[in-house]
Amino acid sequence: MKKIVSIQDISCYGQCSLTVALPILSAKGIETAILPSGILSTHTGGFQNFTYHDLTDEMPKIVSHWIDEGITFDAIYTGYIGDTRQFDLINDSKGKLLNAGGRFIVDPAMADHGKLYPALNEDIVEGMKGIVREADMILPNLTEAAFLLGREYSESYTRDDILDMLQALAAMGPEEVVLTGVSFEEGKLGAIAYQKSTGTVTEYYAEKQAQSYHGTGDIFSSVLIADYLNGKSMADCLADACEFIVKSIQATMGHPEHPYGVCFEAVLAAKE
């Protein structure tokens, strides 16, 4: 059994970050530990007056205890980071927490639809660039990719534009780049992956759904990472993650009382 630690926030309500990563990774057979970066009463998408408690001061104590206990992991998976001090902690700790051959995976969860998430700023972008340079795999959406590369975000692009973006992101450091939210055909939406050492491009596109929901990026990353650690090919990882999102959205549509995330639990229960 593979063992992973996920470093991101706990949104106590709203189906994102650790509240989706932990159940999905665990259900797919990955032993999952958590290193919470902060606690929010809800996620920041659509809720007003949410509370936030920063856990930066607690994180090194947790890591230190793990090191003392000889606890190590096959992968580190980072998501939303709300304090720039946490980037140094992540970089300083990964060499001590990762097993030989372990994977450092970064989901640079900081932006969407051309804008940074509320309460984040350019300092977070610069910090995210720092851990991306050290990563084995990154999973940005188009907006996050633009911020990482210092480029203007555009909803209009060609296949050559996307390939150039993938190569530029890989040139920052990671061996594998998975770019999400990509579409080259009306009614289709998916993801495209690039492996730097071989130049291999892998892609998968599913039927675009009529509605979008907060937290689908976190769910996509968690499904793909679990499959990846379980030894599936990138083609199968992309297909599974994309179709999981489609089924989760379909399970949620028609429920107006549930606008804050997707009913991924129903899909997970049926699938596993």
Side-chain angles (χ1 to χ4, degrees), residues 49 57 67 72 84 106 109 128 141 167 208 210-211 243 251:
N49 303 315
D57 291 338
I67 292 170
T72 56
T84 55
V106 174
M128 199 68 76
N141 60 33
Q167 291 169 349
K208 186 175 182 180
Q211 291 179 248
E243 293 299 336

Side-chain angles (χ1 to χ4, degrees), residues 207-238:
E207 292 295 327
K208 186 175 182 180
Q209 302 302 295
Q211 291 179 248
S212 61
Y213 294 89
H214 189 89
T216 52
D218 298 335
I219 294 170
F220 178 95
S221 294
S222 298
V223 172
L224 186 142
I225 290 167
D227 286 348
Y228 179 80
L229 293 178
N230 282 327
K232 289 190 176 183
S233 68
M234 182 56 73
D236 287 342
C237 290
L238 290 177

Side-chain angles (χ1 to χ4, degrees), residues 37-39 52-59 82-86:
S37 59
I39 301 176
Y52 176 68
H53 179 66
D54 184 87
L55 291 176
T56 303
D57 291 338
E58 293 301 315
M59 292 173 71
D83 189 306
T84 55
R85 294 174 294 167
Q86 295 171 6

Side-chain angles (χ1 to χ4, degrees), residues 165-188:
M165 184 174 284
L166 288 166
Q167 291 169 349
L169 289 165
M172 293 181 69
E175 167 64 17
E176 295 183 276
V177 178
V178 180
L179 188 60
T180 63
V182 178
S183 176
F184 297 118
E185 179 184 347
E186 186 73 24
K188 296 285 188 178

Side-chain angles (χ1 to χ4, degrees), residues 66-109:
W66 287 349
I67 292 170
D68 289 344
E69 293 290 336
I71 297 170
T72 56
F73 301 93
D74 299 299
I76 295 173
Y77 158 29
T78 71
Y80 181 95
I81 303 296
D83 189 306
T84 55
R85 294 174 294 167
Q86 295 171 6
F87 293 114
D88 286 338
L89 172 69
I90 292 167
N91 273 329
D92 291 344
S93 302
K94 65 182 180 61
K96 301 170 185 175
L97 293 178
L98 275 177
N99 294 327
R103 312 298 285 174
F104 179 38
I105 304 170
V106 174
D107 178 357

